[in-house]
């Protein structure tokens, strides 16, 4: 009995233990189900499901004529896992693979690649580098090579796709177009990856970026991932931006500005080209010297940097005086020999000896004393009235151009503790007020546009899938800065500057120029007047009788530079840009072509010119057009024994310097630049000689000097 009882006891204990264990298992299962279940299910889901971002394509940036200025292209980093291909397969295709990689990447010979591949295979390299930042066509070619065409699992091909923002025109307008990407900010623990954008890429980032999509992918057999049906949220691609820029004019402005900056060893400069009737910015060049390399590049938008404008501001002073009816530009003003005391300071003219003269001439010769005298005489008792006129000219507001970071102009007001009786006369000559070159360009553009002030703008339209969804129309800021009589006087003053004043050396025989020179000492951002840093400006428009373009050039010198006047530094840039715009027919000029000229006695003679030009002239004279006459042909005209016009035709061969002696400037520049030459000009009139012999081979980037004579 004791044995049975003992066995029964043990069975009960074992059964109880089993029951207790079962209860514990059930309890634990319930606990997991209720308390830990959601978290564990989430972890399991994370191991087998993932959400991937579908990146939206960033929109492109174009010029108004459809030229691509900025776009996103895919690039590929390609590597090989050399442990995957079988040894016999690797040996069989090694030579073919080596030759292919050498050809596609353009780096190293086939023998070099063969040696590297053998070494990688011998060492068991699992991440052998084929190439970084390969273009799409290179990547596709690599994928077709033996072994690699088997993919990752059988061929060992490993690649990573990334997008790169590229600007086909390189440095041209690069600060205006801007950049888009990610950069590291900060050091060590504080370092972080942030989005870095500038220019139009920054202003239009929300439009260009689009909206990313996403999808859910599930792990399947073979550790592969497949997209779950119905989980895809398609990305909304970014829209395209169409700018007002014309890259032909931008190219001219960039290189003309750079040539003068290098010639005079300047620090920085900007050149703005604006369409008179609309305010469209057709070119915006910004070049600054890199302190490390000494080379010029586009890093800062100098067109929107505040500075005292100097004598170009005298146009605003004249506009205020004319609007109030205080003066007529034929009135006389005493320039006091070029020196006059205002308060406790003496104002000087750059050129002493100017006496009493018409206001128009005082403006043309840039007399500080003359303009200061007029402003002090009429506004000293009410200086706020003068500043009110500056406000009406929108010179104290931001222009609103589509570039981030534009500062607000600065002016000293009568209510300021810094105001004294010398502020007004100096302000009348461009000191005591800080505006941007863009403001100066906008002011003179209004004068060119018969008093109508246009808002400068850079964005023509927003485009989606090739169609404009929004077009930006020109905006009028002021219908008339002064009345029509006043505008005629302002334009007359601007023309006098180039006819007889400080800008007379940039007169053109082909068209009339109007504008104003300006020279101002610089005192900003750690620079004092004692350092001798100057800002030379020329702003004007052409043709003066029917203005099409306004150009503003501002150049800053290094300390104590030998040349610093606006007429010396900035005016030649204006002339170079205007010449090339005119010669390239970018303005669609309605004026007479320069293939014909009247000589003494009124006799009409012809000069050699581009074939297409002569053909148009023959048509306009009622003569049969030249068949097949094109831009690469030089055509002259002669008279035969029967007094009939006969063309003398000569082809300008590609890659050879054409003979342009005897031609008008416009046609000569057109033909030479079409051959890829940079043209420099001395003198005026027709071409008397050229520095490169006709028929010689053209080297890339070569320049030719034309000597002109009337």
């Amino acid at each position: 009995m004791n044995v049975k009882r003992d066995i029964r006891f043990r069975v009960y204990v074992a059964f109880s233990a089993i029951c207790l264990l079962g209860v514990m298992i059930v309890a634990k299962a319930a606990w997991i189900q209720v308390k830990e279940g959601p978290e564990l299910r989430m972890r399991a889901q994370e191991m087998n499901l993932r959400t991937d971002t579908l990146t939206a394509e960033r929109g492109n940036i174009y010029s108004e004529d459809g030229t691509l200025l900025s776009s996103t292209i895919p690039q590929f980093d390609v590597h090989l896992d050399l442990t995957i291909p079988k040894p016999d397969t690797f040996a069989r295709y090694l030579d073919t693979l080596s030759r292919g990689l050498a050809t596609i990447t353009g780096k190293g010979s086939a023998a070099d690649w063969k040696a590297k591949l053998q070494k990688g295979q011998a060492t068991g390299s699992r991440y052998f580098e084929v190439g970084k930042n390969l273009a799409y066509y290179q990547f596709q070619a690599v994928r077709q090579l033996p072994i690699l065409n088997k993919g990752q699992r059988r061929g060992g091909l490993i690649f990573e796709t990334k997008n790169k923002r590229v600007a086909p025109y390189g440095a041209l307008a690069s600060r205006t177009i801007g950049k888009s990407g990610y950069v590291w900010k900060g050091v060590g623990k504080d370092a972080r990856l942030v989005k870095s954008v500038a220019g139009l890429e920054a202003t239009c980032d929300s439009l260009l970026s689009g909206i990313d999509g996403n999808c859910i992918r599930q792990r399947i057999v073979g550790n592969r991932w497949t997209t779950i049906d119905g989980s895809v949220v398609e990305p909304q691609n970014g829209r395209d931006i169409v700018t007002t820029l014309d890259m032909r004019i931008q190219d001219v402005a960039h290189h003309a500005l750079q040539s003068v900056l290098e010639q005079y060893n300047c620090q920085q400069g900007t050149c703005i080209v604006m369409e008179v009737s609309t305010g469209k910015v057709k070119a915006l060049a910004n070049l600054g010297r890199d302190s490390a390399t000494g080379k010029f590049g586009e890093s800062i938008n100098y067109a929107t940097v505040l500075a005292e404008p100097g004598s170009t501001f005298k146009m605003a002073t004249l506009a205020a005086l004319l609007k109030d009816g205080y003066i007529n530009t034929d009135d006389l003003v005493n320039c006091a020999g070029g020196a006059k005391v205002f308060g406790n300071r003496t104002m000087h003219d750059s050129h002493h000896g100017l006496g009493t003269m018409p206001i128009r001439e005082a403006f043309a010769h840039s007399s500080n004393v003359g303009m200061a005298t007029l402003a002090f005489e009429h506004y000293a008792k009410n200086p706020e009235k003068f500043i009110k006129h500056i406000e009406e000219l929108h010179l104290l507001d931001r222009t609103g151009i589509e570039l981030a970071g534009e500062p607000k102009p600065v002016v000293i007001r009568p209510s300021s503790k810094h105001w004294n009786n010398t502020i007004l006369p100096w302000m009348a000559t461009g000191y005591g007020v800080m505006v941007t070159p863009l403001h100066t360009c906008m002011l003179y553009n209004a004068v060119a546009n018969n008093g109508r002030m246009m808002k400068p703008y850079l964005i023509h339209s927003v485009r989606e899938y090739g169609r404009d969804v929004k077009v930006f129309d020109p905006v009028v800021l002021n219908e008339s800065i002064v009345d029509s009589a006043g505008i005629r006087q302002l334009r007359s003053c601007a023309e006098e500057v180039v006819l007889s004043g400080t800008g007379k050396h940039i007169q053109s025989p082909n068209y009339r120029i109007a504008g104003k020179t300006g020279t101002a000492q610089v005192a900003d951002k750690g620079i004092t007047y004692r350092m001798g840093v100057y800002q030379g400006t020329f702003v004007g428009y052409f043709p003066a009788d029917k203005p099409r373009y306004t150009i503003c050039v501002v150049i800053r010198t290094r300390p104590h530079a030998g040349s610093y006047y606006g007429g010396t530094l900035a005016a030649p840039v204006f002339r170079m840009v205007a010449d090339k715009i005119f010669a390239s027919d970018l303005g669609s000029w309605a004026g007479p072509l320069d293939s014909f000229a009247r000589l003494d006695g009124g006799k009409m003679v012809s000069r050699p010119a581009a074939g297409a030009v002569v053909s148009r002239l023959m048509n306009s004279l009622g003569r049969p057009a030249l068949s097949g006459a094109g831009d690469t042909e030089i055509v002259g005209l002669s008279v035969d024994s029967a007094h009939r016009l006969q063309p003398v035709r000569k082809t300008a061969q590609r890659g050879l310097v054409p003979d342009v002696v005897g031609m008008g400037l416009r046609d000569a520049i057109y033909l030479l630049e079409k051959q890829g030459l940079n043209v420099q000009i001395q003198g005026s009139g027709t071409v008397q000689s050229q520095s490169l012999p006709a028929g010689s081979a053209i080297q890339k980037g070569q320049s030719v000097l034309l000597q002109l004579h009337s």
Side-chain angles (χ1 to χ4, degrees):
M1 290 295 292
N2 290 336
V3 174
K4 290 183 179 181
R5 191 181 301 113
D6 185 54
I7 293 173
R8 191 181 299 115
F9 174 77
R10 291 182 182 184
V11 170
Y12 289 157
V13 170
F15 179 75
S16 299
I18 292 171
C19 291
L20 181 59
L21 179 61
V23 171
M24 291 173 64
I25 291 172
V26 172
K28 184 62 176 179
W31 176 265
I32 291 173
Q33 184 73 16
V34 175
K35 291 293 186 180
E36 300 178 5
E39 182 181 351
L40 293 174
R41 281 191 292 272
M42 186 180 299
R43 289 183 183 179
Q45 206 169 36
E46 288 175 355
M47 293 175 63
N48 294 285
L49 294 176
R50 73 183 190 196
T51 301
D52 287 350
T53 299
L54 302 177
T55 305
E57 291 184 15
R58 189 171 180 85
N60 296 329
I61 299 178
Y62 297 92
S63 66
E64 195 168 354
D65 65 358
T67 302
L68 183 64
L69 304 182
S70 183
S71 185
T72 302
I73 62 170
Q75 289 188 331
F76 302 87
D77 291 347
V78 180
H79 294 82
L80 297 180
D81 183 349
L82 293 176
T83 65
I84 291 180
K86 295 179 180 179
D88 57 338
T89 303
F90 181 80
R92 186 184 313 131
Y93 293 111
L94 178 59
D95 289 337
T96 306
L97 182 61
S98 300
R99 287 194 299 270
L101 292 176
T103 302
I104 295 167
T105 64
K107 296 179 180 180
S109 64
D112 294 334
W113 277 101
K114 183 176 181 179
K116 288 192 292 184
L117 286 166
Q118 286 176 324
K119 181 179 179 181
Q121 200 254 0
T123 58
S125 175
R126 301 182 65 90
Y127 207 64
F128 177 85
E129 183 178 309
V130 170
K132 288 188 175 182
N133 301 324
L134 297 184
Y136 179 75
Y137 73 91
Q138 291 176 301
F139 173 64
Q140 291 298 333
V142 167
R143 294 180 70 178
Q144 302 305 315
L145 293 176
I147 301 177
L148 305 185
N149 57 9
K150 298 180 181 298
Q152 181 175 358
R153 296 185 64 195
R154 296 175 59 199
L157 178 65
I158 303 170
F159 64 89
E160 178 185 354
T161 306
K162 52 189 181 182
N163 290 325
K164 181 183 179 182
R165 196 72 171 169
V166 296
Y169 281 86
L172 289 184
S174 60
R175 185 59 182 78
T176 304
I177 297 167
K179 298 178 181 179
S180 175
Y182 290 87
V183 297
W184 286 100
K185 293 285 187 180
V187 181
K189 294 181 180 179
D190 297 327
R192 65 192 188 283
L193 199 61
V194 298
K195 197 166 190 177
S196 173
V197 288
L200 291 173
E201 293 275 14
T203 308
C204 305
D205 185 53
S206 60
L207 290 170
L208 292 166
S209 296
I211 301 173
D212 290 342
N214 59 71
C215 67
I216 300 175
R217 290 196 169 100
Q218 185 176 25
R219 191 194 303 271
I220 59 176
V221 177
N223 200 30
R224 290 180 295 169
W225 295 84
T226 183
T227 302
I228 297 177
D229 291 340
S231 69
V232 178
V233 177
E234 295 290 349
Q236 297 178 30
N237 292 336
R239 294 180 173 182
D240 298 330
I241 300 299
V242 180
T243 72
T244 62
L245 295 174
D246 186 316
M247 296 310 288
R248 297 169 297 176
I249 300 178
Q250 180 71 37
D251 182 50
V252 170
H254 180 100
H255 289 98
L257 179 63
Q258 183 172 343
S259 67
V260 171
L261 290 174
E262 291 175 344
Q263 178 182 353
Y264 290 99
N265 196 26
C266 297
Q267 186 63 32
Q268 65 195 46
T270 184
C271 179
I272 308 163
V273 182
M274 187 182 296
E275 192 174 73
V276 169
S277 61
T278 62
K280 291 180 178 179
V281 176
K282 307 305 292 183
L284 184 53
N286 294 287
L287 292 174
R289 183 187 295 276
D290 187 298
S291 58
T293 64
K295 296 182 179 180
F296 288 97
E298 290 222 350
S299 58
I300 296 175
N301 185 8
Y302 297 112
T304 58
V305 172
L306 293 175
E308 292 174 311
S311 293
T312 56
F313 195 76
K314 292 171 183 174
M315 182 64 77
T317 302
L318 273 187
L321 291 164
L322 286 168
K323 189 166 187 177
D324 285 332
Y326 291 144
I327 64 164
N328 184 293
T329 54
D330 291 327
D331 296 341
L332 300 179
V333 61
N334 186 0
C335 299
K340 186 172 182 177
V341 176
F342 294 93
N344 60 352
R345 296 176 64 188
T346 302
M347 178 172 287
H348 296 276
D349 285 341
S350 297
H351 309 286
H352 287 264
L354 299 178
T356 300
M357 59 176 58
I359 293 172
R360 181 187 301 103
E361 292 184 21
F363 182 87
H365 292 284
S366 201
S367 172
N368 293 332
V369 172
M371 289 299 110
T373 297
L374 293 170
F376 193 77
E377 178 183 339
H378 295 290
Y379 295 110
K381 294 181 180 179
N382 187 8
E384 191 63 43
K385 185 176 182 181
F386 177 73
I387 294 175
K388 182 68 175 175
H389 284 303
I390 298 175
E391 287 180 328
E392 291 171 352
L393 292 172
H394 293 271
L395 298 180
L396 299 184
D397 301 322
R398 294 181 178 89
T399 66
I401 195 165
E402 305 92 329
L403 293 172
E406 182 187 10
K408 186 176 176 63
V410 177
V411 67
I412 301 175
R413 290 186 174 274
S415 58
S416 169
K417 64 180 180 180
H418 300 292
W419 183 269
N420 58 58
N421 58 2
T422 66
I423 297 294
L424 178 62
W426 262 263
M427 188 182 296
T429 63
Y431 289 92
V433 58
M434 299 186 74
V435 297
T436 70
L438 200 58
H439 285 90
T440 302
C441 191
M442 183 177 71
L443 171 63
Y444 281 78
N445 194 76
V447 175
N449 199 27
N450 292 317
R452 181 184 252 197
M453 179 171 280
M454 309 302 296
K455 174 184 176 293
Y457 69 107
L458 273 165
I459 300 178
H460 169 69
S461 64
V462 178
R463 186 172 292 172
E464 188 172 31
Y465 299 113
R467 298 180 61 184
D468 289 338
V469 295
K470 185 173 184 180
V471 177
F472 296 90
D473 296 322
V475 175
V476 179
L477 297 177
N478 191 330
E479 279 290 349
S480 183
I481 60 172
V482 296
D483 60 23
S484 57
I487 284 296
R488 285 195 296 272
Q489 294 183 69
L490 291 178
R491 290 181 63 165
S492 176
C493 288
E495 290 182 47
E496 194 65 37
V497 170
V498 182
L499 290 174
S500 65
T502 54
K504 62 183 179 183
H505 58 291
I506 64 163
Q507 290 184 45
S508 169
N510 301 308
Y511 55 89
R512 286 161 52 197
I513 297 171
K516 183 72 183 75
T517 59
T519 307
Q521 279 189 276
V522 175
D524 61 14
K525 296 180 180 177
I527 299 174
T528 65
Y529 289 133
R530 292 181 180 180
M531 292 182 178
V533 177
Y534 287 84
Q535 181 169 283
T537 304
F538 187 88
V539 55
Y541 50 87
F542 77 101
D545 50 343
K546 294 182 179 179
R548 295 294 301 275
Y549 295 103
T550 300
I551 304 174
C552 180
V553 182
V554 181
I555 293 176
R556 181 172 291 197
T557 70
R558 285 188 162 188
H560 307 294
S563 300
Y564 53 83
Y565 286 112
T568 304
L569 299 178
V573 178
F574 178 101
R575 173 66 191 274
M576 282 189 277
V577 175
D579 271 349
K580 292 186 179 181
I581 292 175
F582 186 84
S584 301
D585 229 7
L586 296 177
S588 303
W589 314 110
L593 299 169
D594 67 351
S595 300
F596 280 74
R598 289 186 182 277
L599 301 183
D600 293 340
K603 183 180 178 181
M604 187 78 80
V605 298
S606 70
R607 303 170 181 156
V613 172
V614 177
S615 180
R616 287 205 306 273
L617 283 167
M618 295 284 283
N619 249 340
S620 66
L621 293 173
R623 308 288 184 183
L626 301 174
S627 61
D631 293 334
T632 59
E633 193 172 22
I634 301 173
V635 179
L637 293 173
S638 64
V639 181
D640 62 14
S641 58
H643 302 287
R644 292 175 300 189
L645 287 174
Q646 296 294 335
V648 180
R649 306 171 72 158
K650 184 167 52 177
T651 301
Q653 297 184 25
R654 187 67 184 169
L656 299 179
V657 178
D659 183 2
V660 296
V661 174
M663 296 180 66
L665 175 64
R666 176 180 174 184
D667 288 307
I669 291 178
Y670 178 75
L671 286 168
L672 291 168
E673 291 195 338
K674 199 168 185 66
Q675 297 284 50
L677 289 165
N678 297 316
V679 183
Q680 304 294 327
I681 304 165
Q682 285 188 359
S684 61
T686 57
V687 180
Q688 298 299 306
S689 65
Q690 58 189 71
S691 61
L692 298 179
S696 59
I698 297 172
Q699 305 297 322
K700 186 175 181 180
Q702 199 169 15
S703 296
V704 58
L705 175 65
L706 301 182
Q707 294 284 351
L708 309 180
H709 192 270
S710 300

